[in-house]
């Protein structure tokens, strides 16, 4: 699932921008990567989740679920031990 979302965000911007709430794609990418980070504890998944969530918030600052993206990013930082950023 992550690979499909990755392709959508990086290679298919016309399709991404035709979606009603494209920021949801970044939210889902972040959520999947967070699940992998929690399960496997590898920092590469932390980096993938962080990238997806930051991009979603930056590209769609007024999106319907951007507040949820930012909340999820805070939870990610907390799980990673970055309490000041959380």
């Amino acid at each position: 699932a992550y690979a499909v979302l990755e392709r959508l965000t990086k290679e298919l911007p016309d399709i991404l921008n035709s979606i009603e709430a494209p920021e949801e794609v970044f939210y889902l990418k972040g959520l999947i990567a967070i699940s992998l980070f929690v399960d496997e504890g590898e920092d590469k998944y932390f980096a993938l989740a962080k990238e997806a969530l930051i991009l979603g918030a930056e590209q769609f600052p007024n999106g319907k679920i951007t507040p949820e993206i930012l909340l999820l990013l805070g939870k990610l930082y907390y799980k990673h031990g970055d309490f000041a950023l959380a």
Side-chain angles (χ1 to χ4, degrees):
Y2 186 89
V4 172
L5 297 173
E6 180 75 0
R7 184 165 182 246
L8 180 61
T9 58
K10 295 203 174 179
E11 298 175 23
L12 305 168
D14 292 339
I15 294 173
L16 177 66
N17 291 321
S18 71
I19 298 171
E20 183 179 335
E23 72 276 7
E24 290 181 9
V25 173
F26 292 95
Y27 179 85
L28 291 173
K29 279 179 64 177
L31 196 59
I32 291 168
I34 287 171
S35 294
L36 292 169
F37 170 65
V38 169
D39 290 346
E40 299 184 21
E42 294 186 31
D43 277 344
K44 69 179 179 181
Y45 297 120
F46 168 79
L48 290 173
K50 179 179 154 185
E51 176 188 31
L53 296 171
I54 289 173
L55 282 174
E58 288 178 348
Q59 290 183 17
F60 305 98
N62 299 316
K64 291 179 186 178
I65 68 159
T66 300
E68 286 83 3
I69 289 174
L70 295 172
L71 180 62
L72 192 58
L73 182 60
K75 289 179 180 180
L76 173 65
Y77 283 134
Y78 187 84
K79 287 188 180 292
H80 193 252
D82 298 329
F83 303 117
L85 292 172

